[in-house]
Amino acid sequence: MSGRRYEYEVDVMDRAGGRRVVAGVSGSLGSLTALHRAAREAERGGGTLMAVLAWSPPGGELGHRGSPDPGLLAECREVAGQQLVQALDTAFGPAGPPVPLEAMVVRGTPGAVLVEAAQRPEHLLVLGTGTRGLLRRALRPSVARYCLAHATCPVLAVPPSPLEHELAAVHRLVSWRRPLDTRELTE
């Protein structure tokens, strides 16, 4: 990381006061787009940007219940914190966002964690919708759908950038070892 050092808190959700714009962070292109939009919304409304990354132990909560290892949990929490810091650095660079920022790493499922973080009616929850293929939809429930169904505040679902679709197409060609015509990228 160059420049600004981000700090984050772990498992603290009961902050009081003010307008809060909560953005779910996963490090994906969709979540980075949502972070930028959330920063604009916080700046426009004079609020605080809260970047939240949810994490769970390897194998999920049920898989971890049989053999709790505090060292493993601490390591997972640290990795999640590093992932959040890297996402913030990627999104905003050394200058940071143009608004006050709170960054949080919370143990739990993403949808439930985000709904809890944006629990007041004056808050705003901003999510990246991303692109989801059939297989991904079948294996993982949609965080955006969960938040839309359970949030008590307005939810802003940010669609993926058209550039994300183009990058996915290039990635598929490269991973399938298909020839790539670079002239298509400049059109």
Side-chain angles (χ1 to χ4, degrees):
M1 247 185 347
S2 60
R4 183 176 180 140
R5 176 95 179 129
Y6 293 99
E7 296 179 10
Y8 62 91
E9 296 182 25
V10 179
D11 298 330
V12 179
M13 289 299 237
D14 56 355
R15 298 231 170 189
R19 175 164 162 75
R20 179 187 300 167
V21 179
V22 177
V25 178
S26 67
S28 69
L29 289 177
S31 75
L32 296 177
T33 304
L35 263 175
H36 280 275
R37 180 63 185 264
R40 284 196 308 268
E41 294 293 328
E43 187 175 31
R44 189 168 57 171
T48 299
L49 172 61
M50 175 181 271
V52 179
L53 186 138
W55 69 276
S56 59
E61 295 297 334
L62 286 176
H64 183 72
R65 187 178 296 173
S67 60
D69 179 5
L72 177 63
L73 289 179
E75 187 176 331
C76 290
R77 185 179 307 119
E78 181 64 29
V79 168
Q82 291 170 359
Q83 184 180 357
L84 176 61
V85 168
Q86 183 178 10
L88 291 170
D89 194 41
T90 300
F92 300 116
V99 294
L101 171 71
E102 294 179 17
M104 306 196 76
V105 174
V106 182
R107 181 177 172 181
T109 59
V113 165
L114 292 171
V115 167
E116 185 180 343
Q119 59 189 340
R120 296 203 175 116
E122 67 271 11
H123 293 164
L124 174 65
L125 180 56
V126 182
L127 305 165
T129 56
T131 55
R132 294 173 50 89
L134 290 174
L135 182 61
R136 185 171 266 170
R137 266 185 258 161
L139 295 176
R140 280 197 213 154
S142 169
V143 174
R145 283 181 187 248
Y146 180 91
C147 292
L148 285 167
H150 295 91
T152 58
C153 68
V155 178
L156 177 60
V158 179
S161 163
L163 179 60
E164 188 173 344
H165 177 70
E166 296 295 324
L167 287 173
V170 169
H171 178 69
R172 277 192 303 275
L173 286 174
V174 170
S175 64
W176 293 339
R177 298 177 189 218
R178 306 289 301 220
L180 176 65
D181 185 4
T182 56
R183 290 176 292 187
E184 294 176 7
L185 298 175
T186 59
E187 293 174 358

